[in-house]
Amino acid sequence: HVQLVESGGGSVQAGGSLRLSCSASGNNQRCYDMGWFRQGPGKEREAVAMLDCDGRAAVTESVQARFTISRENDKNVVFLQMDSLEPEDAGRYRCAATWGLTASEALRIMTRPDFGYWGEGTQVTVS
């Protein structure tokens, strides 16, 4: 079993930045494809970014120019750097992990309830 713990959320003004972190614990014998999805008030889950174990990243088009996903050196720890935040970016950001997929494949299905593992999330507020 794998547990995902997120941190780094908070409240910022529009145009500001936040850096989210997600760390996997438990069965860490393998590399996990890890990423983020979000859910704003009254909205459906939206995939944001995914990084696979080969270092390939997939980022949803609406945030590509502003968000960057990265990994801590060969560890199951990923970060989401969010710049130029907009009110539309507000919501609960949840970490997700799986294995054996490319970043693009994982990004397409990461919001499905049967997708690997999900963390509880961290809240982002943009005013």
Side-chain angles (χ1 to χ4, degrees):
H1 185 67
V2 173
Q3 290 184 318
L4 303 174
V5 178
E6 303 96 333
S7 62
S11 296
V12 295
Q13 292 187 335
S17 298
L18 284 173
R19 187 179 190 234
L20 307 183
S21 300
C22 173
S23 178
S25 63
N27 182 9
N28 259 332
Q29 298 303 312
R30 70 192 320 160
C31 175
Y32 291 97
D33 310 316
M34 296 177 68
W36 300 86
F37 68 93
R38 66 187 181 185
Q39 188 165 19
K43 297 181 181 179
E44 296 187 350
R45 299 185 198 106
E46 178 188 22
V48 176
M50 178 60 71
L51 190 61
D52 66 29
C53 291
D54 289 322
R56 292 169 295 203
V59 182
T60 199
E61 188 174 352
S62 63
V63 303
Q64 273 181 357
R66 302 182 292 117
F67 291 10
T68 304
I69 188 169
S70 60
R71 182 188 293 269
E72 183 175 339
N73 299 332
D74 300 323
K75 295 181 180 179
N76 288 321
V77 178
V78 292
F79 307 99
L80 185 68
Q81 178 67 40
M82 306 188 295
D83 298 318
S84 301
L85 282 161
E86 303 168 353
E88 293 73 23
D89 296 316
R92 190 156 195 85
Y93 283 69
R94 301 180 70 174
C95 183
T98 190
W99 63 93
L101 299 178
T102 67
S104 295
E105 292 169 342
L107 190 73
R108 278 198 300 271
I109 65 171
M110 70 188 304
T111 58
R112 286 172 20 179
D114 60 349
F115 179 90
Y117 302 99
W118 287 356
E120 292 298 316
T122 185
Q123 193 68 31
V124 171
T125 303
V126 185
S127 58

